[in-house]
């Protein structure tokens, strides 16, 4: 039983080839345990809630081919293999660490109990329950929703503490490995830079799993998390040991041309189409000339036509009101219009990462 993130890793520059290999072996062992644990958790939650039974289980696109399980399994395994290869190459330290069995069990029990409330919301089609629960007038309407039908939306510490379990169970333990495709691109892009000169912000850091990985990979850099949710930001700061800023991506509190690097993971599929260009322009504005953005989000249908059915089912089973429009958003073009040029990309399981650079 493991969890992602390790704030106290030593700088990768001081380590030897043998240490990298040991780290990679450790990553494989812990990732395997983690995959088994979260697959089990997901199976228990599904057994308790039976999400494929009832009115919302109707096939959405009866003509489309069912997702090929062997394709999925191969892609799932590949995510872990790429992660271990990057640890072996010294791009970042082993991201997995042991957590106490009691703590892991408590997290799992909380996740499974809450899965019933999630399922109730799903069956009722109620993705905005949170509007009646919190005084959230200061937040944009698109934000005041129970994304994923989660209890408390983005507004409670219980939700923030549970979030990582929900995504790891959903993706059978690959969430951390998928996010680290963005870390891999970033680590390659910044390999020759002195970390002490770097200011890096993880935009929409959520509950901080990637922020913790970022801090471990760049221990000497100034690494900051940013999120609109106070509750999620507090969890992220605690998990990673990084500093945090509460702000809306539409108005980033940073000067023009001031940051060396940004990461932004799983945000854009949750933004309405009219907000995406504003957010992209803000990310571009705050980057220094030559600065880089490591971006990761769901794969799109064009990346994996054989998984089209799965990508259609996703927003119906999890409240994702803007996912369909994300599927047809040309990200290269969206960021290209802000002056960010796509330089590299990498895919792991259901996530695609891209590296964009602002013209020097
Ligand atoms: C799907 S979660 C992803 C979190 C994290 N990056 C991860 O990989 O787990 C989306 C996050 O975006 C944040 N968010 C959504 N809209 C935002 C906005 N307009 N400005 C800043 N953060 C926002 C939410 O609070 C939430 O933490």
């Amino acid at each position: 039983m493991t969890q992602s993130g390790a704030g106290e890793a030593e700088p990768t520059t001081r380590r030897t080839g043998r240490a990298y290999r040991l780290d990679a072996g450790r990553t494989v062992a812990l990732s395997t345990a983690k995959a088994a644990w979260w697959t089990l958790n997901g199976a228990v939650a599904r057994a308790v809630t039976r999400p494929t039974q009832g009115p919302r289980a109707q096939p959405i696109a009866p003509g489309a081919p069912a997702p090929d399980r062997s394709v999925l399994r191969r892609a799932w395994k590949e995510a872990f293999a790429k992660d271990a290869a990057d640890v072996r190459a010294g791009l970042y330290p082993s991201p997995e660490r042991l957590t106490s069995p009691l703590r892991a069990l408590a997290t799992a029990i909380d996740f499974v109990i809450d899965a019933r409330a999630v399922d109730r919301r799903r069956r009722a089609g109620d993705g905005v329950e949170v509007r009646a629960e919190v005084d959230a007038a200061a937040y944009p309407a698109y934000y005041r929703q129970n994304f994923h039908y989660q209890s408390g939306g983005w507004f409670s510490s219980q939700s923030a503490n549970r979030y990582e379990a929900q995504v790891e169970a959903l993706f059978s333990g690959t969430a951390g490995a998928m996010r680290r495709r963005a870390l891999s691109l970033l680590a390659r892009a910044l390999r020759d830079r002195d970390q002490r000169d770097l200011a890096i912000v993880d935009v929409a850091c959520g509950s901080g799993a990637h922020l913790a990985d970022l801090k471990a990979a760049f221990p000497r850099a100034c690494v900051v998390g940013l999120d609109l949710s106070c509750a999620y930001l507090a969890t992220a700061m605690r998990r990673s040991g990084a500093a945090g800023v509460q702000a809306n991506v539409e108005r980033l509190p940073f000067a023009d041309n001031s940051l060396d690097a940004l990461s932004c993971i799983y945000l854009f599929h949750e933004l309405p189409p009219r907000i995406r260009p504003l957010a992209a322009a803000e990310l571009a504005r705050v980057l220094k000339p030559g600065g880089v953005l490591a971006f990761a989000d769901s794969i799109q249908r064009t990346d994996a036509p054989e998984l089209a059915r799965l990508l259609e089912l996703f927003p119906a089973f999890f409240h994702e009101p803007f996912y369909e429009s994300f599927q047809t958003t040309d990200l290269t073009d969206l960021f290209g219009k802000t002056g960010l040029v796509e330089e590299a990309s990498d895919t792991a399981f259901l996530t695609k990462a891209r590296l964009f650079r602002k013209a020097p």
Side-chain angles (χ1 to χ4, degrees):
M1 287 158 280
T2 65
Q3 69 182 30
S4 183
E8 57 287 304
E10 43 176 322
T12 51
T13 42
R14 282 212 211 119
R15 313 178 82 228
T16 64
R18 184 157 176 276
Y20 295 148
R21 284 194 297 279
L22 278 175
D23 247 9
R26 189 172 173 276
T27 305
V28 170
L30 293 179
S31 296
T32 306
K34 178 177 172 177
W37 176 246
W38 288 117
T39 302
L40 175 69
N41 272 270
V44 172
R46 281 191 297 281
V48 169
T49 59
R50 299 175 183 271
T52 55
Q53 292 181 13
R56 293 205 150 220
Q58 300 306 313
I60 288 162
D68 183 334
R69 282 183 181 276
S70 64
V71 172
L72 275 176
R73 206 172 305 118
R74 244 196 331 273
W76 179 78
K77 282 186 183 167
E78 190 193 36
F80 294 116
K82 285 186 171 181
D83 202 24
D86 280 342
V87 171
R88 198 175 303 117
L91 280 175
Y92 47 80
S94 177
E96 309 294 353
R97 66 182 162 90
L98 280 171
T99 189
S100 87
L102 271 183
R103 189 160 165 213
L105 196 62
T107 305
I109 291 171
D110 172 70
F111 159 68
V112 171
I113 289 174
D114 183 66
R116 281 182 180 280
V118 170
D119 193 52
R120 176 184 53 73
R121 251 171 246 117
R122 185 181 64 75
R123 287 179 196 277
D126 189 354
V128 292
E129 188 183 82
V130 75
R131 288 184 186 167
E133 292 171 354
V134 290
D135 175 18
Y139 297 89
Y142 69 79
Y143 187 78
R144 286 183 276 134
Q145 310 211 32
N146 298 76
F147 285 92
H148 321 146
Y149 293 118
Q150 66 198 8
S151 305
W154 301 123
F155 297 95
S156 78
S157 53
Q158 290 91 336
S159 165
N161 290 332
R162 188 180 295 128
Y163 175 79
E164 197 53 17
Q166 289 172 320
V167 287
E168 285 295 13
L170 173 63
F171 296 116
S172 305
T174 51
M178 290 196 295
R179 289 187 187 102
R180 284 189 289 277
R181 288 307 86 221
L183 184 62
S184 171
L185 295 177
L186 194 62
R188 285 171 207 278
L190 299 176
R191 196 158 30 190
D192 297 329
R193 299 283 303 274
D194 184 336
Q195 290 195 8
R196 291 168 298 188
D197 298 338
L198 296 176
I200 309 174
V201 177
D202 183 28
V203 176
C205 62
S207 60
H210 172 71
L211 187 62
D213 287 347
L214 202 55
K215 188 108 171 64
F218 298 98
R220 293 172 175 178
C222 170
V223 174
V224 174
L226 177 143
D227 203 280
L228 189 48
S229 164
C230 296
Y232 274 65
L233 189 63
T235 301
M237 290 165 71
R238 199 177 56 243
R239 172 177 283 157
S240 64
V245 178
Q246 195 241 347
N248 189 331
V249 67
E250 296 172 54
R251 290 176 296 281
L252 292 175
F254 306 113
D256 295 359
N257 306 316
S258 58
L259 301 174
D260 299 281
L262 299 170
S263 53
C264 185
I265 299 186
Y266 302 145
L267 170 67
F268 272 55
H269 77 269
E270 296 199 343
L271 295 178
R274 73 192 157 80
I275 302 296
R276 284 186 201 122
L278 302 179
E282 271 298 271
L283 296 175
R285 177 184 68 76
V286 300
L287 274 179
K288 288 179 183 170
V292 287
L293 163 67
F295 177 94
D297 214 307
S298 162
I299 54 167
Q300 296 172 308
R301 276 194 285 278
T302 44
D303 299 315
E306 69 282 11
L307 298 180
R309 176 82 186 285
L310 192 70
L311 301 178
E312 277 167 18
L313 289 174
F314 179 66
F317 277 94
F318 302 90
H319 180 57
E320 287 287 6
F322 310 118
Y323 188 80
E324 185 50 38
S325 72
F326 174 79
Q327 277 295 323
T328 53
T329 298
D330 182 337
L331 293 164
T332 311
D333 182 58
L334 179 78
F335 285 104
K337 285 183 174 137
T338 72
L340 297 186
V341 177
E342 187 172 329
E343 218 173 68
S345 68
D346 194 4
T347 304
F349 196 33
L350 300 170
T351 294
K352 181 166 179 176
R354 300 158 191 262
L355 190 89
F356 294 97
R357 190 181 294 276
K358 185 166 172 177

